Amino acid sequence: MIAKLDASRQESAIQVIDISAWLDPQATSEAREAVIEALHFSCRTHGFFSLIGHGVSLDLQRQVLVCAKTFFAMPMEDKMEVSMAKSVGMSNRGYEVLQGQALQPDALPDLKEGYFIGAEVAAGDPRAGKFLHGPNMWPSTLNESDFQTPLMEYLSQMTKVAELLLEMLRQALPKPPPEDMFEEFKQKPSTNLRLLHYPPQRSFDERQLGAGAHTDFGGITLLLQQSGAPGLEVWHPQTSAWIPVLAVEDHLVVNIGDLLNLWTNGYFLSAVHRVINRAPTDRYSAPFFYNGNTACNFSPLDMGFRPMNTTVQTVEGHILGKLKATREKTQNAKANPLPKNCEVEVQS
Ligand SMILES: O=C(O)CCC(=O)C(=O)O
Ligand SMILES: [Fe+2]
C-alpha cells in the first residue's frame, strides 16, 4: 500500500547543511564543529540532507544535466549502441531502457531510463568485469568534450566531496573511530554516476512509480536534481509519511546507504526513498554512488547502543547480498502476478 504524500510537510524536514567551513582553511573550529553537529542530527533523524557549500561549480552541475537531456533525446538506436547488455561482465555501465529496473518488488517496473558510468577500469585491468568495475561506454554520436569530459570531471569532484563527507561522518560518530577507519575503503573506490530521465507519469495506478521505494545499498549517495523538477520523497517511519525533497539549484541531496548504516551498527540511518514525477514535464537527475573499495572488509562498529552483529564481510558481498534479496522478492511478487491490464515485462 503506497501512503499518501503528507501535504503539511511540503516545506520538508530535510535539513540544509553548508559544509563550506570544511573547505575554508581560515574557518574556525567552532564553525567546523557546527557542521559536524548538523550532520549528526540529519544522519540520526532522516539519513538524508541537502548539501550546499560543497565547492562544485554550478556550471559543471548544469553541464551534467545538459548531458542527461542530450543523451536521452538521442534516437533509440544511438542509445542502444551503448546498451548495458554490451557492458563488460558485471561492470554495470551503459544504457538501461525505460522500465528496465524494478526497485520496488511489489510495484510496476520503474518509469525511468538510465545511463551509467563509473570510475574508468580499462578492459585489460584484472578488475574489469568484476562487480561494478569495467570500461565506460561512450556514445559515438556525442562529442567527447561536451559529454565524456564534463561527466568524468563531475565524477572526480563528487568522489572528493564524498570522501570529505566520510571524514566528517567519522567525526560525527559519538566515539569517533580511529582516523584510518575508511583508509582501505577509499583505495581505488567504486564510484558510479547515473544519468536518469523520468518522463511525466500519466498512470493513475498507485503501483507505478518513477523509482520504486528502496534504500541505496552502498556507502553514500550524492544526488543532483534539475531545479524546480522535484519528485524525490523520503519515508519517515515515525510519522508514516513521505517527505518531499525540494529540488533547488546548487543543492546536492545526500543520503546514507545501507553499507554505512550497517558499518555504524544502525546509528546512521539509511532511509527508504522513491521518485514519482507528478509534473507534466520530463525530470532529469544524476545520482552519484560512492561504494568504496569493493574488496574492503568491514564489520559493525560498537556504538554501545544496541546488540552487536560482528559479521565481517566485504563491500562486494554486502551489495551483492542486497541485490540477491531484492531479486528474490521480485520473483515472489511475479509468482503472484499483477492484474492483466497492469502487466509490464521486467527486462534485466
Ligand atoms: O532520481 C532521483 O531523484 C533518485 C534516484 C535514486 O534514488 C537512485 O537511483 O537510487
Ligand atoms: Fe536511491
Side-chain angles (χ1 to χ4, degrees):
M1 176 66 194
I2 296 172
K4 293 268 177 297
L5 198 68
D6 180 353
S8 67
R9 288 192 172 265
Q10 287 298 329
E11 281 309 299
S12 174
I14 305 295
Q15 303 290 303
V16 177
I17 303 182
D18 180 351
I19 59 162
S20 51
W22 279 76
L23 296 170
D24 173 9
Q26 311 296 326
T28 62
S29 52
E30 286 78 15
R32 291 204 187 126
E33 191 48 40
V35 178
I36 299 292
E37 273 169 28
L39 283 174
H40 178 262
F41 175 80
S42 285
C43 294
R44 290 287 291 148
T45 48
H46 290 293
F48 260 84
F49 53 92
S50 197
L51 183 70
I52 56 170
H54 42 68
V56 179
S57 81
L58 199 49
D59 189 46
L60 184 58
Q61 296 174 54
R62 286 180 182 153
Q63 280 185 67
V64 170
L65 292 170
V66 169
C67 288
K69 284 182 198 171
T70 309
F71 180 88
F72 295 114
M74 293 197 307
M76 187 49 99
E77 61 184 276
D78 291 350
K79 293 193 259 190
M80 291 310 282
E81 182 205 351
V82 290
S83 161
M84 195 178 271
K86 298 182 188 173
S87 68
V88 176
M90 295 172 76
S91 61
N92 212 36
R93 304 289 204 270
Y95 175 60
E96 184 175 69
V97 294
L98 195 68
Q99 294 176 318
Q101 191 180 32
L103 279 169
Q104 184 178 327
D106 61 354
L108 295 167
D110 298 346
L111 199 61
K112 66 167 163 43
E113 54 182 339
Y115 170 71
F116 302 7
I117 65 159
E120 186 65 45
V121 178
D125 187 304
R127 293 169 302 154
K130 294 209 168 121
F131 184 52
L132 299 177
H133 294 82
N136 287 312
M137 293 198 296
W138 305 105
S140 61
T141 42
L142 298 179
N143 275 339
E144 187 177 331
S145 57
D146 297 336
F147 193 71
Q148 180 172 346
T149 308
L151 291 181
M152 288 311 277
E153 175 58 25
Y154 184 76
L155 188 84
S156 149
Q157 294 204 21
M158 282 297 102
T159 305
K160 287 191 190 123
V161 178
E163 290 179 349
L164 175 61
L165 283 171
L166 283 179
E167 171 55 15
M168 289 191 268
L169 290 172
R170 181 188 70 80
Q171 295 194 28
L173 289 167
K175 283 185 289 177
E179 280 177 24
D180 64 359
M181 173 181 178
F182 290 122
E183 231 21 71
E184 190 192 345
F185 186 61
K186 289 191 298 189
Q187 299 303 316
K188 296 193 178 168
S190 149
T191 53
N192 294 92
L193 179 66
R194 295 186 179 179
L195 303 182
L196 297 174
H197 168 221
Y198 299 86
Q201 185 163 323
R202 299 200 172 87
S203 168
F204 292 105
D205 189 325
E206 65 173 18
R207 292 162 308 165
Q208 181 65 75
L209 299 110
H214 67 282
T215 53
D216 292 348
F217 298 159
I220 186 168
T221 307
L222 288 89
L223 170 76
L224 173 63
Q225 299 182 90
Q226 182 191 358
S227 73
L232 175 64
E233 299 168 5
V234 179
W235 181 246
H236 190 234
Q238 290 84 344
T239 52
S240 294
W242 288 104
I243 300 178
V245 179
L246 303 179
V248 182
E249 189 157 64
D250 209 22
H251 287 220
L252 295 170
V253 177
V254 181
N255 64 289
I256 301 290
D258 294 338
L259 179 77
L260 268 198
N261 169 263
L262 198 57
W263 205 333
T264 60
N265 202 26
Y267 193 76
F268 287 155
L269 306 181
S270 169
V272 174
H273 52 285
R274 67 180 188 181
V275 177
I276 307 174
N277 181 14
R278 296 185 164 87
T281 45
D282 296 289
R283 174 179 190 267
Y284 299 90
S285 69
F288 164 87
F289 302 91
Y290 188 97
N291 299 316
N293 183 324
T294 51
C296 171
N297 279 307
F298 74 101
S299 62
L301 293 164
D302 183 2
M303 303 301 299
F305 82 117
R306 58 158 68 166
M308 287 289 294
N309 162 2
T310 49
T311 316
V312 178
Q313 60 180 328
T314 61
V315 168
E316 180 181 88
H318 157 77
I319 300 180
L320 284 174
K322 287 273 173 183
L323 280 172
K324 186 165 172 270
T326 306
R327 262 186 219 129
E328 279 166 9
K329 278 192 210 153
T330 307
Q331 293 304 330
N332 289 342
K334 270 184 160 179
N336 304 297
L338 303 163
K340 260 226 149 7
N341 59 348
C342 298
E343 258 178 49
V344 180
E345 193 56 37
V346 183
Q347 301 174 27
S348 53

